[in-house]
Amino acid sequence: MQTSWENWSGNLRCTAHVVEPESLSELTRAVKQGASRGRVRLCGGGYSWSPLVPTRDTLIHMRRLDRCLSLDEGGDPPTVRVEAGITIRALTRILRAKGLSLISPPMFDLVTVGGAAATGSHGTRLTAGCFSDGIESLSLITARGEVVEIDRTDLSALRAARVSLGALGVVHAVTLRCEPAFRVKVEQRYHPLDHVIAELSDLTSTYEFAELMWMPGEADVLVRGLERTTAPETPELWPSAVLHPLRMRTGVLAGEVLMPGIERLRPDLAPRLMRFGRVVMFAEGAWVRDATREWHHIDQYPRCLDFSCSVPIESAARAFQILRAALEDDRARGRYPVNLGLLARFTGPSDSYLAACEGRASCFIEVATVRGTPAFDRFRQEAHDRLIDAIPAMRPHWGKLLLAPATWRHRFDRMGDFLVQRARFDPEGVFLNEFLEREVFGL
């Protein structure tokens, strides 16, 4: 039976034969039957903005395949084997109870392990690549319903399968490297934006985990730096446990109710609401916490539109300047296309073929705004054009809004290697959709 599907942000939808298997046998059967009828695509949490999921044929929803299959606490390194439909949040809780941590998880922890891996979602760690690089092995289901284990004995296949956009087959389970849990000292301060941009190299050499959060129009930027520490956790007074979820819910309410109304009726008031949001959501200070808590310090988001790109770390200051100038041009014309802010995070190089940080230390710059914001599409196009002209090595984050995907192919140095593996595992193109086939791969 055909069923309607829509993603979390509401910018993607399709009508397809949706299947929700609950076991490996059901999954292999669904893949084989789907392949006999046409094409097969996958869905995790539905948090991607790019059209990787939509299909008119079979859509396999992985949310019921969310089990932890095994845990090797004594390994060197420790590893955990999980089904692809488990969320980062659920997996983090399992590992925390055992005194373990993921290597470089994405900030938003409601995404599934399979979705985060397939799109090359990044963490915020200069000593590791993207989340997918923590995958030691994975089980891939082919169009014939065969289960193939891919590991380091076939390194080319593993590098392709880690960040595959779902184009090689259906990933049922992955084995992830872990590490002993640790604490971090967090320093969260506002600094003049011009100074931070000029001294980015100092920031990234000082902190293993670094983030920037900037509200358009503001003269300063929030700098979050995290360093490992053996110091005890900072005592958490009772109001903190109440204030954090209250802050998060306030941010969601403002983003989904207040800001859309203001953008329609009084866009000139948008900067004031952004300033209020900054005060409510992000206070200055220093404290010691478990690292996994601080990686996911923003655990609720308003439904929004989001585009993100990766640039070589040495081009980060230039990219930030370009986006700032574009926003200031709009502001001078009375337009406010970005109202949730800009976020920058830094990662080490990846060896996964389609990772946006493949082969280089990178800065991921993310631009988010509430749904329905006037002029955002125009701003996104103009910002994209300015960035792509100034920074030839810019690459997309595959899970975010994408523009002109055909122009990205030559920016991934290992795209040819990936396509060899794609043809090897899926010669009939069963696991493609029109977007991947025509726009991304040009097949």
Side-chain angles (χ1 to χ4, degrees):
M1 183 177 70
Q2 296 293 99
T3 304
S4 296
W5 172 88
E6 183 176 298
N7 70 335
W8 169 76
S9 64
N11 73 304
L12 297 172
R13 54 188 56 84
C14 70
T15 300
H17 180 69
V18 180
V19 185
E20 295 188 16
E22 298 186 25
S23 65
L24 175 58
S25 60
E26 289 184 11
L27 179 60
T28 55
R29 184 164 59 251
V31 171
K32 191 172 181 180
Q33 291 175 350
S36 69
R37 292 192 295 263
R39 289 184 161 175
V40 177
R41 293 299 297 162
L42 303 177
C43 174
Y47 290 104
S48 175
W49 286 266
S50 66
L52 299 174
V53 171
T55 180
R56 293 188 295 269
D57 298 320
T58 298
L59 179 59
I60 298 178
H61 206 305
M62 299 289 289
R63 62 185 163 197
R64 299 183 187 276
L65 294 166
D66 60 353
R67 289 172 282 267
C68 178
L69 302 176
S70 64
L71 179 60
D72 182 3
E73 302 173 57
D76 185 20
T79 57
V80 61
R81 179 84 168 179
V82 295
E83 291 181 309
I86 194 172
T87 65
I88 299 292
R89 178 174 297 181
L91 177 54
T92 297
R93 288 172 177 164
I94 292 170
L95 294 178
R96 186 184 295 152
K98 298 294 184 178
L100 296 173
S101 168
L102 291 169
I103 300 293
S104 187
M107 179 189 288
F108 189 42
D109 61 0
L110 288 180
V111 298
T112 62
V113 164
T119 55
S121 294
H122 57 92
T124 178
R125 183 174 188 166
L126 279 158
T127 53
C130 65
F131 170 68
S132 308
D133 290 296
I135 296 176
E136 287 289 291
S137 65
L138 58 85
S139 55
L140 187 78
I141 301 173
T142 69
R144 293 192 295 271
E146 299 171 343
V147 181
V148 179
E149 188 71 14
I150 299 174
D151 57 25
R152 290 183 177 274
T153 61
D154 190 347
L155 198 53
S156 293
L158 184 61
R159 288 177 175 174
R162 281 171 169 165
V163 183
S164 69
L165 310 182
L168 269 64
V170 174
V171 174
H172 165 249
V174 302
T175 301
L176 290 156
R177 290 196 308 277
C178 306
E179 64 179 330
F182 59 94
R183 293 184 295 277
V184 290
K185 179 183 178 182
V186 182
E187 293 183 349
Q188 187 163 289
R189 309 285 183 190
Y190 286 98
H191 297 279
L193 178 60
D194 289 331
H195 174 75
V196 172
I197 290 176
E199 303 295 334
L200 270 181
S201 59
D202 286 347
L203 174 70
T204 55
S205 62
T206 301
Y207 296 108
E208 182 182 357
F209 312 91
E211 301 173 27
L212 304 177
M213 284 173 277
W214 179 61
M215 296 293 188
E218 295 296 316
D220 51 15
V221 59
L222 184 70
V223 177
R224 275 179 54 88
L226 282 64
E227 296 179 284
R228 293 172 184 258
T229 183
T230 57
E233 285 202 17
T234 303
E236 191 170 15
L237 300 178
W238 73 264
S240 300
V242 176
L243 286 177
H244 176 74
L246 182 60
R247 285 173 176 165
M248 295 298 108
R249 292 190 189 104
T250 300
V252 171
L253 178 65
E256 295 194 345
V257 179
L258 296 180
M259 187 62 81
I262 285 175
E263 287 284 7
R264 286 193 305 271
L265 303 174
R266 288 289 304 276
D268 57 303
L269 296 180
R272 297 185 189 180
L273 185 56
M274 283 190 280
R275 191 169 295 116
F276 169 76
R278 154 183 143 153
V279 171
V280 170
M281 298 284 287
F282 306 114
E284 291 186 291
W287 54 87
V288 175
R289 290 282 186 273
D290 181 85
T292 56
R293 288 183 60 186
E294 290 304 319
W295 288 338
H296 309 304
H297 64 101
I298 303 177
D299 53 16
Q300 296 183 47
Y301 290 82
R303 296 177 193 271
C304 59
L305 297 175
D306 191 309
F307 78 89
S308 175
C309 64
S310 158
V311 299
I313 205 163
E314 60 271 17
S315 300
R318 178 66 178 139
F320 221 95
Q321 289 166 341
I322 289 169
L323 289 168
R324 181 188 188 187
L327 286 165
E328 288 177 346
D329 288 347
D330 272 330
R331 191 181 182 88
R333 296 178 174 87
R335 298 192 296 242
Y336 307 93
V338 175
N339 45 50
L340 292 182
L342 275 69
L343 177 67
R345 284 171 281 173
F346 304 86
T347 71
S350 168
D351 70 354
S352 300
Y353 292 153
L354 290 193
C357 54
E358 188 276 321
R360 70 190 193 200
S362 298
C363 173
F364 284 80
I365 299 182
E366 182 176 348
V367 183
T369 199
V370 300
R371 295 183 299 178
T373 300
F376 178 68
D377 286 341
R378 180 204 50 77
F379 167 79
R380 185 165 61 97
Q381 181 68 65
E382 290 183 3
H384 168 272
D385 292 345
R386 291 189 191 191
L387 286 167
I388 209 167
D389 287 342
I391 306 175
M394 184 179 76
R395 295 171 181 162
H397 183 318
W398 292 112
K400 309 294 185 176
L401 292 168
L402 298 175
L403 283 169
T407 66
W408 300 115
R409 293 173 208 148
H410 70 281
R411 294 169 182 261
F412 287 86
D413 299 336
R414 308 302 296 271
M415 176 64 82
D417 296 309
F418 175 83
L419 291 176
V420 168
Q421 297 299 321
R422 200 218 65 75
R424 170 188 168 190
F425 286 98
D426 182 29
E428 303 300 322
V430 168
F431 299 104
L432 299 174
N433 63 6
E434 291 185 7
F435 171 73
L436 286 170
E437 182 177 38
R438 298 178 184 178
E439 301 288 335
V440 177
F441 300 138
L443 300 176

